[in-house]
């Protein structure tokens, strides 16, 4: 791919290149008999999973690629792509997983640009390199890191500013106290920063979907949203989960929690729009809408590990915090929702 094609603009570069292939595919689809029903595929479906730490399922052990620099993608061996693939197999749908390139810390543009691993351990190739001409299904999540959710969390938490060194990113404005982060993001420079982040996410997601259409023209595209972190009733976040001493969202002020939820809902809406606007069609798994009873603050029912609760992953003798990622219950919810949507897509 030329350097000109790799450049991203607010008018997605790959859109024009994909248009002819998409139009041809649409014509062929229209040529089928009226009212025909497509049965689930009987042959294995060549599939690529892509994404960030929510696809890799950071925090769940054991981790793939032990002994390799790719270990620091923290891709769980039992991430939702692996679990969803088994669920589909139980229904008679076999995915031929060509690759799972999901990696913690991935920004949306790492779909078409190299990703630098932490600790100077090297670079990973663009995730789009996993796509092949015969890929028929692509599934994954991106956008949360591009919005800068880690930076937002650090803006709102003194503990994360001092104890979250392994969580990438700095507060948006370290001179502003964490206690005032709610009002910071609702006006002035904080709101302007957020607006810019969401604008970038929107057109980068369009670019991502267009590039899948270009490099894998026959692939169904399934973009997976993010599970909900903050419940509607934020008083739930004032009680530690069973067996825990840390509050699920640490020291983030209660009046900032609705703001965090609004940020996440806005990301969900931006992802939906990118899917709705995608040339040739795409599908969306709306995890935010279906996980309101499994937030980080839902005690024994929580599907999200608390910000500073110990996860299952160790570096030496140190257990990394969950940093608000899905635990095994949350992973299973992701897998169920993804498997159900993939089954629907492949039956269309």
């Amino acid at each position: 791919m030329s350097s000109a094609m790799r450049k991203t603009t607010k008018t997605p570069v790959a859109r024009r290149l994909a248009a002819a292939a998409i139009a041809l595919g649409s014509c062929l689809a229209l040529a089928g008999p009226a009212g025909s029903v497509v049965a689930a595929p009987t042959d294995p479906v060549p599939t690529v999973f892509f994404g960030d730490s929510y696809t890799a399922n950071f925090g769940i052990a054991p981790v793939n690629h032990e002994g390799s620099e790719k270990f620091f993608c923290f891709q769980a061996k039992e991430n939702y792509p692996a679990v969803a693939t088994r669920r589909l197999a139980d229904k008679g749908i076999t995915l031929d997983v060509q690759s799972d390139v999901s990696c913690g810390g991935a920004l949306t543009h790492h779909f078409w640009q190299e990703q630098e691993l932490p600790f100077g351990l090297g670079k990973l190739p663009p995730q789009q390199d996993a796509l092949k001409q015969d890929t028929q299904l692509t599934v994954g999540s991106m956008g949360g890191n591009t919005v800068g959710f880690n930076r937002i969390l650090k803006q709102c938490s003194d503990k994360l500013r001092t104890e979250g060194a392994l969580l990438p990113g700095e507060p948006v404005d370290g001179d502003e106290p964490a206690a005032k982060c709610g009002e910071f993001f609702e006006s002035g420079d904080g709101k302007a920063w957020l607006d810019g982040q969401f604008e970038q996410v929107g057109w980068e997601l369009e670019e991502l979907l267009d590039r899948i259409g270009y490099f894998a023209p026959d692939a169904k595209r399934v973009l997976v949203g993010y599970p909900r972190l903050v419940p509607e009733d934020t008083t739930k976040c004032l009680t530690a989960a069973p067996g825990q001493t840390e509050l699920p969202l640490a020291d983030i002020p209660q009046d900032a929690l609705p703001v965090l939820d609004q940020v996440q809902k806005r990301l969900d809406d931006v992802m939906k729009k990118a899917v709705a606007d995608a040339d040739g069609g795409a599908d969306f798994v709306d995890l935010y809408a279906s996980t309101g009873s499994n937030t980080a603050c839902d005690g024994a029912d929580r599907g999200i590990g608390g910000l500073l609760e110990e996860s299952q992953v160790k570096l030496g003798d140190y257990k990394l915090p969950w940093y608000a990622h899905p635990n095994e219950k949350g992973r299973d919810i992701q897998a169920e929702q993804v498997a159900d949507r993939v089954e629907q897509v492949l039956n269309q």
Side-chain angles (χ1 to χ4, degrees):
M1 189 174 185
S2 70
S3 58
M5 287 172 65
R6 287 189 182 276
K7 183 179 178 182
T8 304
T9 65
K10 292 187 180 181
T11 301
V13 181
R15 185 186 298 277
R16 297 187 302 276
L17 296 169
I22 291 169
L24 176 60
S26 299
C27 291
L28 292 174
L30 290 171
S36 61
V37 177
V38 180
T42 55
D43 295 329
V45 181
T47 301
V48 170
F49 290 101
F50 63 90
D52 56 24
S53 56
Y54 277 74
T55 307
N57 280 123
F58 165 84
I60 295 175
V63 175
N64 278 324
H65 312 296
E66 189 171 359
S68 159
E69 66 275 5
K70 287 185 179 180
F71 173 86
F72 292 95
C73 283
F74 298 108
Q75 185 190 93
K77 290 185 178 180
E78 289 292 296
N79 64 353
Y80 83 67
V83 177
T85 297
R86 286 202 303 273
R87 289 182 64 93
L88 287 163
D90 290 342
K91 297 180 177 184
I93 299 172
T94 303
L95 302 187
D96 172 16
V97 180
Q98 295 174 314
S99 194
D100 179 352
V101 289
S102 60
C103 186
L107 299 158
T108 312
H109 69 249
H110 289 136
F111 193 78
W112 58 86
Q113 294 179 12
E114 292 179 332
Q115 178 181 352
E116 189 167 349
L117 289 167
F119 314 119
L121 289 171
K123 296 181 178 180
L124 297 178
Q127 295 193 16
Q128 71 180 17
D129 289 4
L131 299 173
K132 302 180 184 302
Q133 282 292 308
D134 67 343
T135 301
Q136 294 176 21
L137 177 68
T138 59
V139 183
S141 311
M142 277 185 159
N145 291 326
T146 302
V147 166
F149 209 70
N150 288 353
R151 299 189 66 189
I152 295 169
L153 291 173
K154 287 190 175 183
Q155 186 66 35
C156 294
S157 168
D158 282 321
K159 283 191 173 184
L160 279 181
R161 293 188 192 191
T162 57
E163 301 174 28
L166 291 174
L167 185 68
E170 298 295 329
V172 179
D173 184 346
D175 293 331
E176 287 286 329
K180 294 186 176 181
C181 77
E183 62 185 84
F184 173 77
F185 286 117
E186 291 187 306
S187 62
D189 290 344
K191 181 179 183 301
W193 178 83
L194 263 183
D195 289 344
Q197 297 299 106
F198 277 110
E199 182 180 7
Q200 179 177 350
V201 169
W203 54 263
E204 286 194 358
L205 286 173
E206 289 182 31
E207 179 76 9
L208 182 155
L209 292 169
D210 280 349
R211 284 173 177 266
I212 295 173
Y214 178 72
F215 287 105
D218 295 328
K220 304 284 189 180
R221 297 170 292 181
V222 180
L223 189 63
V224 181
Y226 293 87
R228 190 170 181 174
L229 305 182
V230 179
E232 185 174 353
D233 178 6
T234 58
T235 61
K236 291 181 177 181
C237 301
L238 305 181
T239 303
Q244 300 294 326
T245 56
E246 285 279 359
L247 293 179
L249 294 173
D251 60 334
I252 294 178
Q254 187 182 0
D255 65 359
L257 295 178
V259 177
L260 296 183
D261 189 49
Q262 290 163 19
V263 169
Q264 203 181 4
K265 179 64 169 64
R266 187 174 176 183
L267 175 58
D268 193 66
D269 290 341
V270 168
M271 297 178 81
K272 285 181 186 175
K273 184 178 187 304
V275 166
D277 292 347
D279 288 335
D283 289 270
F284 184 60
V285 180
D286 193 350
L287 289 174
Y288 177 91
S290 61
T291 52
S293 299
N294 304 106
T295 71
C297 304
D298 277 299
D301 292 326
R302 71 196 189 284
I304 303 292
L307 273 178
L308 294 176
E309 291 177 13
E310 290 182 346
S311 76
Q312 300 173 4
V313 176
K314 288 184 178 181
L315 283 182
D317 293 329
Y318 175 68
K319 280 192 174 182
L320 296 177
W322 282 105
Y323 293 136
H325 283 78
N327 55 25
E328 287 173 312
K329 179 189 285 288
R331 182 272 321 275
D332 289 345
I333 293 171
Q334 289 176 295
E336 179 181 9
Q337 297 283 321
V338 168
D340 287 349
R341 181 51 55 87
V342 167
E343 183 180 13
Q344 293 170 14
V345 166
L346 295 179
N347 275 305
Q348 288 174 355

